[in-house]
Amino acid sequence: MSQAAEKSSPKEMEKIVSLCKRRGFLFQSSEIYGGINGFWDYGPLGVELKRNVKEAWWQDMVVRHDDLNQLPGAPAAYSMTGLDCTIIMHPQVWKCSGHYDLFHDYMVDCRESKKRYRHDQINGRWVTAKGQRIFVTAQAGETQQEDMERQALKFFNLRAKNKDDLVWEGSATCLAEIDSTEQVLAPDAKSLNTLTEPREFNLMFKTTIGALGGEEDAAFLRPETAQGIFVNFKNVIDSTRFRLPLGIAQMGKSFRNEITPRNFTFRSREFEQMEIEFFCHPTQSHEWYQYWRDRRMKWYQDLGLAGERLQMREHSPEELSHYSTGTADIEYAFPFLNEGEFGELEGIAHRGDFDLRSHMEGKLDEKSNPLELQLGPDGKPKWRGSGKDLTYRDDLTNEKYTPHVIEPSAGADRATLAFLCEAYTEDEAPDEDGKMQSRVVMKLHPRIAPVKAAVFPLVKKDGMPEIAKQIYLNLKKKFNVFYDEKGAVGRRYRRQDEAGTPYCITVDTETLEKNTVTIRDRDSLQQYRVGVDEVLAAIEEKLA
Ligand code: ATP
């Protein structure tokens, strides 16, 4: 019997990475040439696992969605459908979405708070107290002086009533004009000198369309799949009989030229997203936000991330854009993170009508309230929208409105990595002589396990391989199965445990006499017998 399993911990990340390579879950891209930073390939087991994760998402969110009944927690019944859009889209899409502007900005990262700021949007002032002179900063805006004062008081450990002890010099200056960052206190940091050098934020990969290759032929690889859904909203409504509330799902590759790709596949430069844009009436949008937050959390729990390593983090009101009534991240305590730290698996955001209006009217200014067009230096709209009407008319009430959007945006690679980390378990199992041996077992949920069952003849004679091969071929019509007749059966079990195969079927001497086989359960290690003709039904029942 297995002993109490030890769950993964930071020190175990190395073991997980090594198992992924050894057993063919993940390889570094172009490894024979020394690899390429931020790019990963899925091996024979990994490709099945990731496909299963994506398939589970598509099936649960789109195909099997019950659109006739009001689901628990949902404000109403709703429809779901899908799209598959191109990776390269019209460059204006990225101008109106806001990604293009980011592309040109210089950004600085704070090593302490992990926040990223636009270099030209941080202002600061020199201030002296307790014999020390520092450059205290805040994000540009109406409250910048108050923010600087609060930061300075905290840094010098002064109470508000002693604010006169702070000796300020000159007026606010842009951080970009300061030569050295040594005395700089970043907007959200406690210590000095935590900002990196400014870097151009090459978020989007640039490419060229056609042979000429001038600047007017420049295009970008999409940094998210979401925009393909927004720009097709009208097409979907006009070509189908869907009514709102309606969710449109898309999964596919996205590309971000991450400055610091790291932590295995967690921060890659090429990755896959699974995104839903859920369009609804503005008055119901907050309720829908809450529904989606809980629905998505449950999805991860149902697939095995049920422990305390999974958490939902609601953004505080200060973190929200003013047009949003909520954003939450579903996070996982990946073993490569420090104790108490969590990494984002999925963000669920209430986006109001920001995106549809930006694609209609032109890029809106996220900081304006109510939302207004962002203007360029010439006072004209900075980026023009499509001018197309992306509003919705309810054919029952005849009401016309711009739908509000809830966006559950997940990463297929991060989800796959979380499932791998959660599954990694070290415990003990008996060998052929009944002696306990340590084993590594990937306790993946059977639905996402790469191989559903392995079939073994106990020995390579007496007709056992023939029966086992017949069972194997029969199961193979339905799911991914594996046949293995090499080596001691205990070793074969171990290999399947490492691959996360939930069931092993063994043909032995009793099969020859009674036409039954054993089915061994990966997690409980229990074995029981079923008739050869019942194997398919038994495995199907377990996987259902
Ligand atoms: P982070 O703050 O970690 O960079 P983000 O907030 O920029 O993530 P979103 O833009 O909300 O991420 O993207 C939605 C999802 O796409 C994320 O929750 C994550 O699962 C996935 N994702 C984003 N960037 C990456 C990346 N570089 N590598 C792998 N997955 C990613």
Side-chain angles (χ1 to χ4, degrees):
M1 283 296 295
S2 68
Q3 293 194 339
E6 195 186 295
K7 287 315 299 172
S8 58
S9 66
K11 68 179 186 316
E12 252 145 26
M13 195 60 212
E14 269 176 44
K15 294 185 193 169
I16 296 171
V17 172
S18 128
L19 178 131
C20 282
K21 161 115 206 262
R22 183 161 44 85
R23 294 308 316 271
F25 281 99
L26 276 158
F27 307 126
Q28 206 183 354
S29 168
S30 324
E31 197 187 278
I32 61 165
Y33 288 104
I36 170 166
N37 200 8
F39 297 89
W40 295 93
D41 293 337
Y42 286 80
L45 287 179
V47 65
E48 296 293 340
L49 173 64
K50 188 171 156 189
R51 283 175 65 109
N52 292 341
V53 170
K54 290 190 293 178
E55 189 58 19
W57 181 83
W58 190 261
Q59 287 291 329
D60 294 346
M61 296 299 117
V62 184
V63 181
R64 293 189 207 159
H65 166 65
D66 172 0
D67 54 354
L68 301 180
N69 295 296
Q70 185 173 354
L71 301 181
Y78 64 94
S79 304
M80 289 295 299
T81 190
L83 276 177
D84 183 17
C85 307
T86 57
I87 284 170
I88 294 177
M89 299 172 71
H90 193 294
Q92 197 68 15
V93 169
W94 308 114
K95 292 181 175 158
C96 290
S97 71
H99 291 89
Y100 184 83
D101 289 338
L102 264 180
F103 180 62
H104 284 280
D105 291 334
Y106 279 85
M107 310 294 285
V108 287
D109 285 319
C110 176
R111 285 183 283 258
E112 186 190 301
S113 69
K114 308 281 181 246
K115 293 207 172 162
R116 174 173 292 154
Y117 312 95
R118 268 181 56 178
H119 193 219
D120 63 349
Q121 285 196 348
I122 298 186
N123 290 333
R125 280 178 79 186
W126 287 102
V127 61
T128 305
K130 298 185 174 174
Q132 194 179 1
R133 181 172 178 261
I134 65 166
F135 189 75
V136 59
T137 63
Q139 299 221 55
E142 279 171 23
T143 59
Q144 79 180 23
Q145 179 55 34
E146 289 156 42
D147 296 343
M148 280 183 214
E149 190 173 283
R150 201 173 325 111
Q151 271 289 81
L153 289 171
K154 234 191 281 167
F155 179 82
F156 289 114
N157 207 4
L158 290 171
R159 287 162 183 263
K161 63 176 183 195
N162 298 329
K163 66 177 183 192
D164 292 341
D165 292 356
L166 300 171
V167 184
W168 296 94
E169 290 171 40
S171 55
T173 324
C174 181
L175 177 67
E177 286 168 35
I178 301 294
D179 292 335
S180 156
T181 56
E182 266 175 40
Q183 299 308 319
V184 170
L185 180 65
D188 301 283
K190 293 197 183 80
S191 35
L192 298 177
N193 200 16
T194 58
L195 291 177
T196 59
E197 285 296 305
R199 288 176 283 212
E200 194 179 342
F201 194 67
N202 290 315
L203 173 75
M204 289 198 291
F205 282 96
K206 202 171 178 181
T207 187
T208 317
I209 299 175
L212 292 175
E215 196 45 35
E216 65 279 12
D217 300 320
F220 304 95
L221 306 191
R222 68 180 176 201
E224 60 173 39
T225 60
Q227 297 304 323
I229 305 179
F230 291 125
V231 302
N232 275 298
F233 171 66
K234 199 76 185 156
N235 280 339
V236 173
I237 293 294
D238 291 350
S239 62
T240 62
R241 297 175 69 187
F242 287 121
R243 303 182 64 246
L244 298 198
L246 167 70
I248 307 180
Q250 168 163 228
M251 56 189 178
K253 291 268 185 178
S254 289
F255 303 81
R256 294 185 191 177
N257 202 355
E258 296 280 1
I259 297 166
T260 44
R262 59 173 169 243
N263 292 336
F264 213 14
T265 55
F266 182 82
R267 191 169 297 290
S268 313
R269 289 180 164 139
E270 175 175 340
F271 54 96
E272 272 187 273
Q273 288 185 308
M274 309 184 292
E275 297 195 291
I276 296 170
E277 303 303 327
F278 186 80
F279 300 89
C280 60
H281 193 281
T283 54
Q284 273 197 331
S285 59
H286 189 67
E287 279 174 81
W288 280 114
Y289 160 71
Q290 287 171 323
Y291 165 74
W292 276 108
R293 206 193 46 183
D294 300 343
R295 174 78 190 86
R296 292 300 307 145
M297 182 76 174
K298 188 165 180 307
W299 187 79
Y300 291 99
Q301 289 167 333
D302 288 348
L303 281 176
L305 298 189
E308 44 193 54
R309 302 180 77 89
L310 186 73
Q311 75 169 21
M312 168 110 70
R313 187 180 72 83
E314 281 274 359
H315 288 208
S316 63
E318 302 86 68
E319 282 179 274
L320 295 177
S321 318
H322 73 82
Y323 58 79
S324 169
T325 68
T327 294
D329 290 341
I330 297 176
E331 302 179 326
Y332 184 72
F334 286 97
F336 49 75
L337 298 171
N338 294 324
E339 182 84 37
E341 283 181 5
F342 288 76
E344 177 183 325
L345 285 181
E346 170 162 351
I348 298 99
H350 177 287
R351 298 193 54 85
D353 57 6
F354 179 85
D355 307 273
L356 285 179
R357 278 188 57 201
S358 286
H359 285 302
M360 279 194 279
E361 302 166 24
K363 163 82 173 43
L364 298 174
D365 181 354
E366 283 158 63
K367 297 194 186 74
S368 59
N369 187 11
L371 285 168
E372 286 169 6
L373 271 183
Q374 192 172 344
L375 302 178
D378 56 1
K380 294 194 179 135
K382 188 166 181 202
W383 304 118
R384 282 212 323 260
S386 66
K388 298 283 184 301
D389 181 7
L390 304 181
T391 58
Y392 171 78
R393 184 183 292 279
D394 187 318
D395 55 4
L396 294 183
T397 62
N398 220 16
E399 187 190 358
K400 192 172 179 235
Y401 58 89
T402 309
H404 275 204
V405 169
I406 313 302
E407 177 184 78
S409 169
D413 306 84
R414 285 196 191 169
T416 303
L417 185 59
F419 289 127
L420 278 169
C421 293
E422 184 79 10
Y424 183 89
T425 311
E426 291 175 5
D427 66 5
E428 289 194 336
D431 64 11
E432 281 99 73
D433 309 322
K435 259 188 30 209
M436 294 308 273
Q437 303 284 355
S438 63
R439 72 164 181 165
V440 169
V441 50
M442 296 299 280
K443 293 193 172 177
L444 291 163
H445 190 288
R447 234 185 124 189
I448 56 171
V451 179
K452 305 300 181 203
V455 188
F456 310 147
L458 185 64
V459 288
K460 238 170 26 178
K461 55 181 187 190
D462 303 335
M464 288 186 205
E466 287 72 18
I467 302 172
K469 281 177 186 168
Q470 206 47 54
I471 295 172
Y472 164 74
L473 289 175
N474 199 28
L475 292 178
K476 210 170 167 37
K477 289 178 201 150
K478 289 283 172 96
F479 10 76
N480 196 23
V481 279
F482 188 78
Y483 176 78
D484 191 2
E485 55 178 29
K486 291 185 217 80
V489 76
R491 294 264 297 280
R492 284 181 261 165
Y493 283 143
R494 292 293 182 283
R495 282 187 64 77
Q496 293 309 315
D497 289 341
E498 278 192 345
T501 308
Y503 309 108
C504 288
I505 297 144
T506 306
V507 171
D508 54 16
T509 38
E510 227 178 297
T511 314
L512 307 176
E513 293 155 15
K514 298 189 181 150
N515 207 30
T516 60
V517 293
T518 63
I519 298 184
R520 168 196 184 260
D521 182 286
R522 174 197 68 195
D523 299 343
S524 70
L525 294 173
Q526 271 168 359
Q527 301 200 18
Y528 59 95
R529 300 197 77 90
V530 299
V532 168
D533 301 337
E534 296 155 23
V535 175
L536 178 61
I539 300 292
E540 259 178 341
E541 193 190 316
K542 285 172 177 301
L543 294 174

